[in-house]
Amino acid sequence: MPILFRGALLLALVATALPAAAQLPPLLDREVFFGDPEITNSQVSPDGQYLTFLKPYNDVLNVWVKGIDEPFDAARPLTADERPVPGYFWSEDSRYLLYVQDKGGDENYHVYTVNPSGETDPATGVPMARDLTPVDGVRAFIYSVPQRTPNEIIVGLNGRDPAWHDVYRLNLETGERELLIENTERIAGWEMDLNGNVRLALRTTNDGSTEILRVAEDLSIDSTPVYTCSVYESCGTLRYHQDGRRVYMVTNKGDRDLTELVLFDPATGEEELVERDPEGEVDFGQAIFSDATDELVLTAYTGDRTRLYPKNDAIAADLDYLRANLPEGEFSLGSSTNDERLVKVTLYRDVDPGTVYLFNRDTREIEKLYTSRPDLPTEHMASMQAIRYTARDGLEIPAYLTLPKGVEPKNLPVVINPHGGPWARDTWGYDAFAQFLANRGYAVLQPNFRASTGYGKAFLNAGNKEWGTGAMQHDITDGVQYLIDQGIADPERVGIMGGSYGGYAALAGVTFTPDLYAASVSIVGPSNLITLLESIPPYWEAGRVMFHERMGNPETEAGRAQLEAQSPLNFADRITTPLLVIQGANDPRVKQRESDQIVVALRDRNYPVQYLVAPDEGHGFRGEENRMAMFVAVEGFLAEHLGGRAQEGAPEAIEAKLIDITVDPATVVVTDPMGASDMDALPFDGSKIKSATMSYDIAFEVQGQQVALQNPSRTVAEVEHNGQPALAIVDRATLPPMMGNVTMVDSFVVARGDFKPLHRKLQQGPGSIMLTYTDSEVQGEMSQGGQSMPFTSALDLPIIADNHALEVGLSTLPLIEGYSASFATYNPMPGQQGVNTYTMTVTGMEEVTVPAGTYQTYVVEVDRADSNEDSTLYLDSETKMLVKSMSTMPAQMGGGTITAELNGSGM
């Protein structure tokens, strides 16, 4: 069945499935729900002179600016990015606007600064932006924007070690970065005081506990924790008190179930309760502090709806005034001027995404600025109601139910929409997904299943290790049964759709309850919990133990068995429900493999599946055309299988985009990382390799400086390992005097036949790493300064030897132009340990001249799947010996390139 529906077929589906369709509101254009808003995300500059906001520029959401009293027609763009700007803020002195941006959804955010008064670049129509963190593959994290040092911010960069962020002070005017702390202590977070001084460090211990450590004036870290909480509790700093001594914390340590706001003194260990939920229902929500005095002025709690609690008479009077003079709805307080004279106020409802006002606290004037979606007919939107239902074990599950307007809530098609996270929650308010589906005639249930946050640690911990076959999925299933029992749901027309964890729940729903759903849509959903855990971004390392405690530990036999039993991929043969799978190719959280492999599993049993992959997206679709194309497909898919209404056709550009991102399942190959079948197909033949000695000229260039290694050499020797034929491949080199004159030796022993790694030792001065390989794991030991630390890494797929041994191994493959193969290797470097996947392609022949002579070579491009650490190898066409290589160095080594050229051979 095609994705786009036309004419009589669509009309027949709608007429048959929805006899009460005439009572539904008008069918609204998708653009109303999912097109870019006209204006959104506005901020008042701290000096009160400007208003910034996001608005399309060159058809992409970018930052605009206008004078505070100017009309919106007078606004001018400040950014001209090709991807929507995901976030921005003002410097505290209003001189600069700062924003963050990644590449294609990879979430390696850079921080950029723009001078709103700067000269316009004719090529872009906006002032020139400066990249303050210009290192590819590095994720910047903004820790602090101190009001008292407005020309500086404190950021974290993981360039040295992808898993841990070093702390820098960043000058906004010059772009100069000053290293404050090299994070060698595995610190996951930092807390600065109001002057921008690093005062506390937060670290996750080996058992998943959180410990808070003091940072001294010399920026050394005291190893004795001042506060701890277990992996099953929550504790974290919020911000420093204005007295500079105590810090606001949110914690539920001990016998507390709900988190509370407390003031904690790191010097004495004294803890003072500030506030807990006055109604005793939910966790502490939000604290708002005065920009002028740094005092706590407002708290908020989110139960079924959000409740606000003013902390002084002035704020209480402001809230009363706003309630009396604004239309009905809930409101939130946003950015304000440094003197707090002007405050942005957003009024929102379940049927309205928001109208924004500017409140002058001195004159009591309320000025309407804009409505984010002025074309949205709120009179045709459906109300969202908070409900409760009881799970099979008696636990009460909070949820939100949106019923289509204008029809009796009986025997309706239903879409279950579990939230992502899963350690998150849904809240009351305007939800574009829910409103779009309700307009099409569906009831929408959004359950806050156990493991959702906000309802206390008992509710959160009740979801530990309960994915898939456990109670978390049961809560969702029980929500379906509740709607059926209430007569709301037609049991033959229930679908499930979600993103991230919600996508996993959609896969689990049709795997473990195959008769329950009539349609399923998985958006960036993991299908294999083991490969998901083994491919998390390196900067999530601090949370790895938490994942293991809450999901399951793949490094233990019991944990691995449990995760395998909860992985939909392993039970794909049970799926009998129509499935639409949607993925961003650059997703760093849920890698494309998670979607590829479930699509391949269904394809290989000749079961139909629809698949969309956007090459320029990550964990969700930010681009408008991609987003619109996705919902064209979703709408048609649900109409076909659940019988809801569907808009006919789409703009030409959107239809073209849908064709562009639609993937034929027959073409899908699981390569990131690849499966065992792909690995076993590689025709390595180590018997072709003979003993040899080679010498090279090796130099690396970083940030304009070139450094040559001394006496680099490579030897290949035929040896035995545990009585079996093997090859020992050894690289040696010495660092130059400026780098300590240290000798480096990397010795690899591989199986002679299939080139599987057996043993490896890396030695650099007094430090070493020893590795022993089996089919299922790598056992290692790191030694430095007389201390050693063993480690074990599980392998979920076959690997081959890497680095210099890889260069030798590739020479045994059938190197002809156009030949391509995929493979995996194990990276043992601290902070990077894990499996990396590559694709090699022979791109042609080239004559190369090096110190050893002139050679006719095969040109082999080796591309790493998840980074830009790529190499070009030149292999002699006769001997297959490496003649030359050019490689990109890892970002944590400063980027740059390393070049090797043959200068002698003893083959």
Side-chain angles (χ1 to χ4, degrees), residues 526-529 531-532 569 572 592-602 611 668 670 673:
S527 61
N528 183 332
L529 298 184
T531 54
L532 173 72
L569 178 66
Q592 185 178 331
R593 182 197 185 189
E594 296 300 320
S595 291
D596 283 348
Q597 57 195 2
I598 195 71
V599 168
V600 166
L602 294 176
Y611 194 22
V668 177
V670 181

Side-chain angles (χ1 to χ4, degrees), residues 593-648:
R593 182 197 185 189
E594 296 300 320
S595 291
D596 283 348
Q597 57 195 2
I598 195 71
V599 168
V600 166
L602 294 176
R603 177 201 68 195
D604 289 351
R605 54 175 274 233
N606 295 317
Y607 190 83
V609 58
Q610 294 183 21
Y611 194 22
L612 307 182
V613 178
D616 54 349
E617 296 286 5
H619 199 62
F621 287 12
R622 272 168 43 198
E624 183 182 35
E625 283 194 353
N626 288 330
R627 189 171 62 248
M628 294 298 297
M630 177 182 75
F631 280 106
V632 170
V634 167
E635 181 178 21
F637 178 81
L638 294 178
E640 178 183 4
H641 299 293
L642 300 183
R645 302 193 298 179
Q647 179 182 348
E648 186 175 358

Side-chain angles (χ1 to χ4, degrees), residues 11 19 114 146 185 215 242 255 262 295 397 404 533 575 616 639 701 767:
L11 294 175
V114 177
E185 301 294 328
V215 179
Q242 64 264 35
D255 59 2
V262 302
E295 293 176 298
I397 306 300
L533 287 171
I575 296 177
D616 54 349
E701 184 174 350

Side-chain angles (χ1 to χ4, degrees), residues 47 339 381 649:
D47 63 4
D339 61 7
M381 296 296 101

